[in-house]
Amino acid sequence: MTTVLATATSRPAAPSWQRLADTVLFALYPNLPRPPGTGLSALLAQMRQPNADDELHDVDALLAQQRADPASRGAVPLPTASTLRTWDRHDDGSDLRAWAADDGFELALDAEPEPVTFGTPAAERVEDAVIAAALADGDDPWAMDAHRQSYRPPVTLSPAKALMTARLARAVTAAGGTNAIGAPGAATILLCASREEAMAAAKIILNGVRAFTALGTANGPRASLPIEVVGPDAAAAAQPERLALEVAKLLDQPVPVVVILTEAHQRIGALTHLPVVRIAPPGRDILLWSLRWTHSATGRIAEAAVRAALPSDTALAALDPGVLALALRAEGPLRVARELARLAAVSAPAAPAGPTLRDLPGLGAAGAQLERQAADLVAYREGRLAWSDVPSGILLHGAPGTGKTHVAKAFAATIDAPFFPTSLGKLQAKGHLGDLLAAWEKVFDQARAAVRAHGAAIVFIDEIDAVGERRNTGGRNENYDNKVISEILNTLGGVESLEGVLVIGAANHPDFIDPAILRSGRLGLHVEMRAPAGRDLVAVFRKHLRGDLWDVDLDRLAQSATGATMADVMGIVQIARQTARAANRPVTLIDLFDALAYRNAVPSEDLRRRIAIHEAGHAVAAHVNGAATPQRIAMDGLASRIALRHRPDARTADDLHREVVVHLAGRAAEEVLLGQPSGGGGGGEQCDLAQATRLLIAGALNYGHGGGLVWSSAAADPATLFARHAGLHDTVSQGLDRAYSDALALLRDNVEALSAVAHHAFVDGVVEDETLRDLLLYCRATPEVPLP
């Protein structure tokens, strides 16, 4: 027992990063005492020992060498008053007085104040059994002062500052030491995990490392120029050009430059070529070094016991900085270690509880696509696949209620990865733009930390279509929107910095999202979430019924509910169960049909036929003029939907005209087959007429198709724009009339296909992509518009 305890508290030869950390800490806290066995008296005693050549070190000879050869002064520093204050208290200085007298100067040791020293460990005054009992209770008798019975160190240090000093020292030493970053002409990027971390590192470099490198080190001469520090700056993060310009000005001078950045900063210009030093994560060795300074009155700790109590390096690296700071408030190094272990276990991010992808019915092709992506992510985590071969972003898009959020959670559960959900609304609730950007960055900081612990993490961004796109911004919110979009692009474009982090975005309207967000390397994998149909819809009902009606055929119910989303089915089952509970009996099939009728007022056959014709008109026009590819028609009461995949184009006047024709084709189809249109093409801001009108306004004001090349925002209300721009109303009105005339002509030429598609939608309630392609196969092109 005695041997184990003695070994546990012995202070091994410090590695180079710890020696650097000690020196920087002395620069930050000049009154710090040297730890036991590391003071100047110990250094002088070492000088008196024989070296490898059996020659004695001679202090007089070393001092004479420095006077004769000024270039060697950085190798062995001359004694200074501040150095003398930190000698071991048992050294009376008599030897130094004699050496000083021989060299012609005097040391006024008697005039110096009493030096600050470490206390005597309580463990040196008690038996081994008492030491063992104290360790079991969480006390560290090696860190506790025997006289004061306290862990308070001689000089109070900031635990956060000490920890950052150690992390910086370890990172700098691994990169080649202070000479590598502090030499004239050197330029280095110091990469931090967050803006808060970057600000703390900047203070340590400015107040500690900067002064240390300016004075010189034991391994090299004095630097002639102090380090210049750039960043961190939230404004520069959103303006990479400004950051590059600031660095370029300093690169024009010989000063050493350290650029402190986070993963969120976009690097352009010279910044893409500078060497990168990543700040070391907090680990066991770093915590042990820090605790000797911040939680020990003696400069010693029961290292074996504290190390055994600490969580793993991976768990420490994944801890939130706030959680780490909370643990450091504990009394004594051993209690800190145990608190860290407890908080690490509680704070460890975990995969969401709940079903996996295979447990969710009704996903169809989307489910198979997502399972392939999940398999790739597992292969990456196991080292069988490179990150560059894994699509790093997914867009889940579809109508409201199709289960996008549930699917994202199920994806995380499938691969057993931590899940970090957010949305633009949650981020905006944090406050002004700076708060939003900081909250956005924090989500990804947490995800990166989770990757270190779990190998992968999922960030889910709901309602990402609320961000909008830069080409449609205008007015007083333009600057705000553009900065938010730029921040999203910078983050999602950081492939290396996001390694292991899969980003899933959810959108009801993917066409509202800036195209740059949707390209490969960002949210490049697009998965359409559709309402279930047929056997898939039956399976969704079975899931929510949880074993009820297991022997009842639900096919007729599913056919009646065609077009219902997963959320709709859950609502139907909830209403049916409520009815059964009120009657104090099990749920029945009649309850489900009644709930379905209650949820949707079933339209008359005439109205349902008109709705089917309206949607068929959009499908036929899009197919014939090539503006989009029809994928699905779903009839759901009065809320019918058509899914169109728009083809990329050059936004010429003809391209815009074709899109307007498709928007107006529903109304035109009603006129062709029923003699007159209804109001179904009008209504709210997202109705067919509104979208066609806004498209023509954009053509005139944004794309230069309105008789002039002056750009103007098209984001205001159309009535305001018509009043502001002379002739705009007439231009748009003429464009709408022309497009409607072309839509009528197109559909009259393809009336057989129009009738066939409408009939299938009316009878079956849904027309899937394969059936739709077959029905559109015999469409004829109008003379002006060839088939795609």
Side-chain angles (χ1 to χ4, degrees):
M1 181 68 178
T2 304
T3 304
V4 173
L5 290 173
T7 304
T9 57
S10 61
R11 190 179 183 93
S16 56
W17 73 265
Q18 289 189 11
R19 294 196 297 272
L20 173 59
D22 286 340
T23 308
V24 173
L25 206 60
F26 296 148
L28 295 170
Y29 297 92
N31 293 328
L32 276 182
R34 264 49 174 182
T38 63
L40 184 57
S41 57
L43 176 62
L44 294 174
Q46 185 181 11
M47 289 182 177
R48 300 190 185 106
Q49 301 301 317
N51 61 13
D53 300 323
D54 292 327
E55 295 179 356
L56 293 178
H57 292 286
D58 188 332
V59 174
D60 290 326
L62 290 172
L63 295 175
Q65 178 187 353
Q66 289 196 8
R67 286 191 292 271
D69 182 12
S72 68
R73 290 184 180 179
V76 181
L78 290 170
T80 64
S82 62
T83 309
L84 299 177
R85 278 201 297 268
T86 61
W87 289 349
D88 188 280
R89 64 178 179 175
H90 301 298
D91 181 9
D92 62 6
S94 58
D95 289 343
L96 288 178
R97 286 193 186 91
W99 290 328
D102 290 343
D103 203 49
F105 61 91
E106 294 183 3
L107 294 179
L109 291 180
D110 294 336
E112 290 294 321
E114 184 69 21
V116 178
T117 60
F118 283 105
T120 302
E124 294 182 353
R125 306 290 179 89
V126 297
E127 299 295 328
D128 290 348
V130 177
I131 295 175
L135 292 174
D137 289 341
D139 281 315
D140 183 345
W142 296 101
M144 181 180 289
D145 183 273
H147 302 291
R148 295 184 290 119
Q149 295 293 299
S150 169
Y151 294 110
R152 185 181 296 278
V155 175
T156 302
L157 288 76
S158 160
K161 191 177 292 187
L163 199 62
M164 178 56 66
T165 298
R167 295 175 62 190
L168 267 174
R170 189 155 200 174
V172 169
T173 302
T178 54
N179 288 336
I181 69 168
T188 311
I189 290 176
L190 179 67
L191 204 57
C192 300
S194 66
R195 182 169 178 267
E196 292 75 17
E197 189 174 271
M199 293 175 68
K203 291 179 181 178
I204 300 296
I205 293 177
L206 287 171
N207 299 326
V209 177
R210 191 184 195 203
F212 170 57
T213 54
L215 292 173
T217 72
N219 298 321
R222 302 183 184 201
S224 58
L225 297 168
I227 293 175
E228 290 290 339
V229 177
V230 180
D233 186 345
Q239 302 176 39
E241 295 82 5
R242 169 183 158 183
L243 178 64
L245 180 61
E246 189 174 347
V247 172
K249 291 179 180 177
L250 289 175
L251 293 180
D252 193 40
Q253 306 171 32
V255 294
V257 177
V258 173
V259 186
I260 304 180
L261 303 178
T262 67
E263 303 281 7
H265 286 85
Q266 184 182 12
R267 283 173 261 164
I268 62 175
L271 289 171
T272 61
H273 302 285
L274 296 185
V276 176
V277 175
R278 290 181 180 272
I279 190 167
R284 286 178 170 180
D285 290 340
I286 286 175
L287 259 298
L288 289 170
W289 178 91
S290 300
L291 290 173
R292 282 195 184 95
W293 285 111
T294 60
H295 287 70
S296 173
T298 67
R300 303 169 71 181
I301 61 174
E303 180 170 334
V306 175
R307 183 182 290 274
L310 284 169
S312 67
D313 285 352
T314 301
L316 286 170
L319 275 179
D320 182 89
V323 173
L324 188 60
L326 182 63
L328 289 170
R329 293 175 61 84
E331 186 182 22
L334 189 53
R335 286 196 177 92
V336 169
R338 292 180 178 180
E339 185 68 1
L340 281 170
R342 184 187 72 82
L343 292 174
V346 172
S347 305
T356 66
L357 288 172
R358 294 197 174 185
D359 298 327
L360 293 182
L363 295 183
Q369 196 172 9
L370 290 169
E371 285 189 22
R372 289 194 296 271
Q373 174 73 0
D376 282 350
L377 206 57
V378 170
Y380 159 75
R381 186 169 56 190
E382 295 175 352
R384 296 183 284 109
L385 192 66
W387 182 248
S388 58
D389 292 329
V390 181
S392 57
I394 301 175
L395 176 71
L396 300 178
H397 63 94
T402 49
K404 296 181 285 294
T405 301
H406 291 299
V407 166
K409 289 181 180 177
F411 187 97
T414 300
I415 64 172
D416 191 27
F419 185 70
F420 299 92
T422 188
S423 68
L424 185 65
K426 290 180 181 178
L427 296 173
Q428 287 176 328
K430 299 294 182 180
H432 57 70
L433 177 62
D435 297 322
L436 182 153
L437 299 180
W440 169 268
E441 186 177 337
K442 183 176 181 180
V443 170
F444 285 90
D445 289 341
Q446 294 172 337
R448 293 185 190 100
V451 169
R452 294 194 289 269
H454 295 266
I458 308 298
V459 172
F460 175 62
I461 310 169
D462 201 5
E463 304 167 356
I464 194 170
D465 46 344
V467 175
E469 54 181 323
R470 289 167 295 181
R471 71 183 185 186
N472 284 345
T473 58
R476 63 182 181 179
N477 292 326
E478 179 178 6
N479 187 50
Y480 180 97
D481 294 339
N482 283 343
K483 285 186 176 179
V484 173
I485 294 172
S486 296
E487 182 70 10
I488 292 175
L489 294 176
N490 291 342
T491 303
L492 300 185
V495 176
E496 294 181 1
S497 64
L498 285 182
E499 182 166 334
V501 179
L502 179 75
V503 182
I504 301 178
N508 297 333
H509 304 286
D511 49 321
F512 291 0
I513 304 174
D514 193 282
I517 296 176
L518 302 181
R519 71 164 175 79
S520 297
R522 293 190 176 111
L523 301 185
L525 180 61
H526 300 169
V527 178
E528 182 183 5
M529 301 297 300
R530 298 181 176 183
R535 302 307 305 171
D536 285 340
L537 190 53
V538 170
V540 176
F541 271 107
R542 293 283 184 208
K543 173 179 173 56
H544 289 290
L545 285 167
R546 301 193 301 274
D548 291 338
L549 304 180
W550 62 271
D551 56 345
V552 175
D553 187 352
L554 301 181
D555 286 352
R556 191 162 61 88
L557 175 68
Q559 185 175 6
S560 299
T562 297
T565 65
M566 295 181 184
D568 293 335
V569 172
M570 181 175 68
I572 291 169
V573 174
Q574 287 174 342
I575 293 173
R577 288 189 185 282
Q578 192 175 59
T579 301
R581 283 195 302 272
N584 196 25
R585 57 171 174 75
V587 68
T588 66
L589 185 61
I590 298 299
D591 293 332
L592 291 170
F593 271 106
D594 289 345
L596 177 61
Y598 175 81
R599 186 187 68 88
N600 272 338
V602 179
S604 66
E605 286 200 1
D606 287 345
L607 181 54
R608 194 164 183 271
R609 181 176 287 106
R610 181 179 289 274
I611 294 171
I613 290 171
H614 184 101
E615 302 301 347
H618 290 308
V620 171
H623 173 76
V624 170
N625 74 14
T629 301
Q631 295 185 301
R632 191 173 192 258
I633 295 175
M635 301 283 294
D636 184 15
L638 297 177
S640 59
R641 289 182 291 270
I642 180 169
L644 299 173
R645 186 177 70 243
H646 289 273
R647 297 189 177 113
D649 56 51
R651 313 311 282 167
T652 65
D654 288 342
D655 293 331
L656 299 181
H657 174 73
R658 279 191 286 268
E659 290 187 37
V660 174
V661 168
V662 174
H663 283 305
L664 301 181
R667 176 187 175 92
E670 295 179 45
E671 183 171 337
V672 169
L673 292 183
L674 300 176
Q676 63 178 343
S678 68
E685 293 184 353
Q686 298 302 319
C687 72
D688 294 337
L689 291 178
Q691 293 189 62
T693 299
R694 286 194 175 279
L695 199 57
L696 289 173
I697 291 174
L701 299 183
N702 295 163
Y703 301 119
H705 302 322
L709 298 179
V710 176
W711 184 93
S712 182
S713 172
D717 181 80
T720 301
L721 295 173
F722 292 149
R724 185 182 301 163
H725 300 278
L728 180 61
H729 181 278
D730 291 342
T731 299
V732 172
S733 179
Q734 292 168 10
L736 290 171
D737 291 343
R738 175 174 163 245
Y740 190 65
S741 177
D742 287 350
L744 289 170
L746 183 153
L747 294 174
R748 286 178 179 133
D749 286 343
N750 292 278
V751 69
E752 294 85 359
L754 175 64
S755 299
V757 173
H759 178 74
H760 273 75
F762 174 74
V763 174
D764 298 335
V766 62
V767 188
E768 298 288 0
D769 48 3
E770 292 184 5
T771 303
L772 200 51
R773 282 197 299 270
D774 292 341
L775 293 173
L776 295 172
L777 189 61
Y778 300 102
C779 284
R780 297 192 303 272
T782 60
E784 296 83 7
V785 183
L787 276 172

